[in-house]
Amino acid sequence: EEKALLIEELKEIGMIVDENTGEWEAVPEQQSPTADENDLADKFESYEERSDMLKTLKHRYQEIISALSKMDGSGYGICEVCGAPIEADRMTANPAASTCKAHMNN
């Protein structure tokens, strides 16, 4: 479910550039053409904001893909740093968690 939601959010602010690598690129908001410097500056700022949002969504999307692949194989719910089981409350809060609480900021 979250994967599908993330794809929709990504499509709202960007377009996929390469299906094989999962590379996305932000696209500017649709606005009428203008030559006004202020409007151009606003468009650039909006594009930068969309690029930042895209990076965040893309990172989360990759986490989801990784978690789903672990579910198909092994390793889901196991800390990638220490190999211990990830706490149940952490997995409930973030089903794509790849580390236990002790290593969540590594």
Side-chain angles (χ1 to χ4, degrees):
E1 251 181 56
E2 188 170 354
K3 178 183 171 186
L5 289 172
L6 284 167
I7 289 172
E8 288 305 311
E9 288 183 49
L10 284 163
K11 286 179 180 178
E12 287 179 19
I13 60 173
M15 60 183 240
I16 190 142
V17 177
D18 187 335
E19 293 270 344
N20 296 325
T21 63
E23 188 62 32
W24 288 77
E25 183 175 305
V27 293
E29 287 184 86
Q30 295 297 322
Q31 297 176 350
S32 60
T34 181
D36 182 273
E37 281 186 31
N38 290 327
D39 287 342
L40 292 174
D42 288 344
K43 282 183 182 181
F44 180 75
E45 185 177 330
S46 173
Y47 178 77
E48 290 297 311
E49 289 172 1
R50 292 168 72 85
S51 292
D52 289 341
M53 287 189 315
L54 188 76
K55 286 178 191 173
T56 301
L57 291 172
K58 195 168 79 172
H59 178 73
R60 181 66 181 158
Y61 179 76
Q62 293 302 325
E63 289 177 335
I64 297 299
I65 295 298
S66 177
L68 289 171
S69 69
K70 288 178 185 177
M71 285 178 164
D72 292 340
S74 63
Y76 182 73
I78 303 298
C79 178
E80 291 179 351
V81 177
C82 68
I86 299 172
E87 298 84 356
D89 60 335
R90 176 147 166 73
M91 293 302 294
T92 300
N94 178 10
S98 60
T99 60
C100 65
K101 290 178 184 177
H103 298 109
M104 65 191 274
N105 293 322
N106 291 352

